């Protein structure tokens, strides 16, 4: 029940439909379906206004790490709230954003030295792109043609115009094409539907060889290459074969192209390492962080840079080398205090080590999905899992878009007490890192049953 007001549950449901336009949602469907209004959370559970309990199977869109209503994070935010909620980072510093920056640099790949704050994954990528561009404008005549960006097919880097320009998901991005800057594409390895029709490892990473050629060709023209390391999230949890990321890193270094890792989804333990870069010891020039940075409590993002890039912006004020960019809530104290506590909980609970056996268990349980007729491909890294549904397993023929299979699976799962959010026909399972074996099994059990009953 909604307390302390004369608005009842039915009113809330009705008012949502009347006033709220939901993100990534066909509102005609939304208006017809019953909406679920969340009122509170506890650990891995979400509760709606009627008191129904759901397992948060996608960590509230990939952000939640330590569970909901975590007392330590609550306490950290409350303590900060009693001091100050927000003061600007334009011309002033503040305590929590300073401490968080130091902590981020301590855990990030060793190449990174400076933290630029913003408030969403999209802005963190926008900042990376603008800095990379400006860096080469200021670096000298030799670099004057470095204006282009290289990105991967089916990439997702956010929803602002710059991040959409480097994005490559037709469904989301194609309509905006007239507004976007041109981007050079390399093929993201999608082994289940290999664009070269080859098989790993016999292919000898032919896709990497092709990417290397493109990177070398654009050596004089490209400022940076932006990529989601080890796994593409929004494209449908597409995992990279071992060795690909290292080859891309090497090619970027050899051709003086800045490597931007978009770790917005993969950062903060999701892939089983603190950052996905660690899987192949990648040393990026720029790294984008958001989603899990506050443990999933408040909006915040950070773009991390090397000392060398930072120094490229130093000069007399009248030289105009300043990075003239900053979002109003940059470095917000409440968000930063949640971020600090989240990192302290990683340390205190030895969380990265602790989840290793859970990750093996997750992988084992996911592999059982291969028995299901509709499960064409099952992919995972760490606690990020995707099950790609197909109409015909042998031919890999997908379902029709109008069948909305992914959407239907999610609705059925919700009836059975599990919240998931599909990516097209790929069912995503991405629980908070603190989920227990029992609840993880329950979550996967529901998803298994629902997928098993498709078409029945
Ligand atoms: C979610 C996501 C973004 C965008 O983050 P927002 O906070 O939604 O703007 C960017 N890149 C990747 C890889 C993401 O998963």
């Amino acid at each position: 029940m909604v307390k302390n007001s004369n608005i009842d549950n039915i009113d809330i449901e009705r008012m949502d439909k009347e006033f709220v336009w939901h993100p990534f949602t066909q509102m005609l469907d939304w208006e017809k379906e019953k909406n679920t209004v969340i009122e509170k959370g506890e650990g891995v559970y979400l509760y709606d206004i009627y008191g129904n309990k759901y397992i948060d199977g996608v960590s509230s869109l990939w952000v939640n790490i330590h569970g909901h209503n975590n007392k330590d994070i609550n306490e950290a935010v409350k303590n900060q709230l009693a001091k100050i909620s927000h003061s600007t980072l334009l011309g002033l510093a503040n305590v929590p954003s300073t401490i968080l920056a130091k902590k981020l640099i301590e855990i990030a790949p060793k190449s990174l030295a400076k933290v630029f704050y913003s408030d969403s994954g999209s802005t963190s990528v926008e900042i990376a792109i603008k800095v990379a561009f400006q860096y080469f404008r200021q670096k000298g005549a030799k670099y004057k043609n470095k204006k282009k960006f290289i990105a991967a097919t089916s990439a997702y880097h956010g929803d602002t115009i710059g991040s959409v320009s480097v994005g490559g998901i037709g469904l989301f991005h194609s309509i905006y094409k007239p507004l976007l800057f041109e981007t050079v594409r390399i093929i993201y390895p999608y082994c289940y539907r290999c664009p070269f029709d080859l098989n790993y490892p016999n292919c000898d990473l032919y896709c990497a060889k092709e990417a290397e050629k493109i990177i070398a060709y654009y050596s004089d023209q490209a400022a940076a290459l932006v990529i989601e390391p080890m796994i593409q999230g929004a494209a449908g949890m597409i995992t990279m074969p071992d060795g690909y990321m290292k080859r891309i890193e090497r090619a970027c270094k050899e051709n003086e192209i800045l490597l931007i890792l978009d770790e917005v989804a993969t950062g903060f333990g999701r892939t089983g390492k603190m950052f996905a870069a660690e899987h192949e010891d990648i040393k990026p020039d720029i790294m984008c962080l958001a989603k899990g940075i506050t443990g999933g409590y408040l909006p915040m993002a950070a773009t991390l840079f090397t000392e060398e890039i930072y120094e490229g912006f130093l000069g007399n004020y009248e030289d105009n080398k300043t990075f003239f960019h900053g979002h109003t809530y940059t470095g917000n104290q409440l968000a930063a205090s949640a971020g600090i506590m989240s990192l302290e909980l990683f340390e205190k609970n030895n969380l990265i080590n602790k989840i290793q056996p859970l990750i093996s268990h997750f992988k084992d349980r996911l592999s059982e999905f291969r028995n299901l007729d509709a499960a064409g491909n099952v992919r995972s890294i760490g606690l990020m899992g995707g099950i790609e549904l197909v109409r015909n397993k042998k031919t890999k023929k997908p379902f029709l878009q109008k069948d909305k299979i992914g959407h239907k699976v999610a609705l059925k799962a919700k009836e059975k007490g599990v919240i998931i959010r599909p990516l097209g026909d790929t069912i995503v399972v991405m629980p908070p890192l603190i989920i227990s074996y029992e609840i993880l099994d329950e979550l996967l059990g529901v998803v298994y049953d629902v997928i098993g009953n498709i078409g029945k």
Side-chain angles (χ1 to χ4, degrees), residues 313-332:
F313 286 73
L314 303 180
N316 295 320
Y317 187 71
E318 61 276 19
D319 296 344
N320 284 334
K321 284 186 169 183
T322 304
F323 184 45
F324 289 108
H325 184 120
H327 302 278
T328 310
Y329 278 98
T330 287
N332 174 266

Side-chain angles (χ1 to χ4, degrees), residues 226-238:
V226 52
I227 193 161
E228 295 159 85
M230 304 319 289
I231 180 168
Q232 276 187 332
M237 299 296 141
I238 298 173

Side-chain angles (χ1 to χ4, degrees), residues 62 120-122 156-158 228 262 264-265 291:
W62 319 357
S120 74
S122 305
Y156 179 76
H157 297 294
E228 295 159 85
D262 180 350
V264 170
K291 291 200 168 90

